[in-house]
Amino acid sequence: MQTYEGTLRDILQSDIRIVDKISRYIVRHKGKNLRPFIVLLSALLNGKATENTYRIAVTVELLHTASLVHDDVVDESELRRGFPSINAIWKNKVSVLMGDYLLAKSLISATETGILQVMNTLANAARQLSQGELQQIQKVWRQNINEDEYRQIIRNKTAALIAACFELGAISVAAPEEKVKAMADFGEALGMAFQIKDDLLDYH
């Protein structure tokens, strides 16, 4: 994890003052690092972590963080993990642009691995994240949702990225295709359970 955190700081460095300032704020107040930890765990279960493993771990965290920054703007959230959100400090315009910047950084970092499968997996996860958010907004407007629709939303919003983390970790150490698929399937199941449990906690 120390190697990962060093890689994260290196990739986030910028010569644009406001970007550098917000990036340092993000690093200081980052969460549990669940998704990068999963990438590293998956790699270690299937081989030995490589330079690409650490780059990919950063890539998924940047994508996840970009989605959170945009979510806070959409939800008008003032807090994130108990601290002022980026839009609470720097307002919506800067927050949207910073989210775009983090997403771009994530995609660039993926291309720098030189592995097409990494780029495809990450791009699909990004698409599903956006799709899940839009599906959820639509259902909130209509105020009706059935179990199948709920499962589809959480599959896109949460499970897809966790599945991608398990898949990408295995890809980074050149695991056989059947292992890569098994890791992705396990990640999706874990992501579904994770989100269901999280939603249940909202009722207590």
Side-chain angles (χ1 to χ4, degrees), residues 150 192-204:
Y150 167 72
M192 296 289 286
F194 177 88
Q195 189 59 57
I196 290 168
K197 179 66 174 175
D198 194 53
D199 289 342
L200 285 171
L201 290 172
D202 288 340
Y203 287 93
H204 294 288

Side-chain angles (χ1 to χ4, degrees), residues 4-204:
Y4 153 74
E5 287 177 6
T7 307
L8 175 64
R9 284 191 294 270
D10 289 345
I11 288 175
L12 276 177
Q13 260 188 339
S14 169
D15 55 2
I16 302 171
R17 188 176 176 186
I18 190 168
V19 170
D20 205 40
K21 188 174 183 179
I22 298 172
S23 295
R24 288 199 304 272
Y25 184 82
I26 288 169
V27 169
R28 279 201 310 274
H29 302 297
K30 64 185 185 302
K32 300 181 188 73
N33 287 323
L34 174 64
R35 288 155 190 82
F37 180 80
I38 287 172
V39 173
L40 297 175
L41 176 63
S42 176
L44 293 171
L45 285 170
N46 291 282
K48 185 177 179 181
T50 65
E51 184 180 335
N52 272 341
T53 303
Y54 294 108
R55 179 170 287 280
I56 289 166
V58 170
T59 295
V60 296
E61 184 63 8
L62 291 176
L63 173 59
H64 177 58
T65 304
S67 73
L68 296 181
V69 171
H70 284 152
D71 286 353
D72 286 344
V73 172
V74 171
D75 298 337
E76 299 179 348
S77 299
E78 294 291 312
L79 293 174
R80 167 65 59 184
R81 301 178 182 123
F83 295 95
S85 62
I86 297 209
N87 60 303
I89 300 172
W90 287 281
K91 307 308 176 190
N92 286 352
K93 187 181 290 186
V94 171
S95 298
V96 169
L97 293 171
M98 189 66 192
D100 292 346
Y101 175 82
L102 292 170
L103 177 59
K105 273 286 197 182
S106 175
L107 296 173
I108 290 166
S109 188
T111 63
E112 287 174 348
T113 65
I115 305 171
L116 183 60
Q117 196 175 0
V118 168
M119 300 175 226
N120 285 339
T121 299
L122 191 80
N124 277 320
R127 174 185 59 79
Q128 286 182 270
L129 278 172
S130 300
Q131 198 168 289
E133 286 296 334
L134 288 166
Q135 287 171 314
Q136 180 169 279
I137 289 170
Q138 178 178 273
K139 288 299 169 185
V140 167
W141 285 346
R142 292 181 179 176
Q143 295 186 332
N144 67 327
I145 185 170
N146 60 41
E147 186 176 333
D148 287 341
E149 290 167 334
Y150 167 72
R151 287 179 178 275
Q152 186 58 51
I153 289 170
I154 66 171
R155 181 174 287 109
N156 285 332
K157 271 191 64 178
T158 303
L161 187 54
I162 290 179
C165 291
F166 274 101
E167 183 178 349
L168 290 166
I171 291 169
S172 76
V173 295
E177 191 56 42
E178 63 270 17
K179 286 283 186 73
V180 172
K181 185 179 186 310
M183 298 305 288
D185 289 345
F186 174 77
E188 181 175 284
L190 181 65
M192 296 289 286
F194 177 88
Q195 189 59 57
I196 290 168
K197 179 66 174 175
D198 194 53
D199 289 342
L200 285 171
L201 290 172
D202 288 340
Y203 287 93
H204 294 288

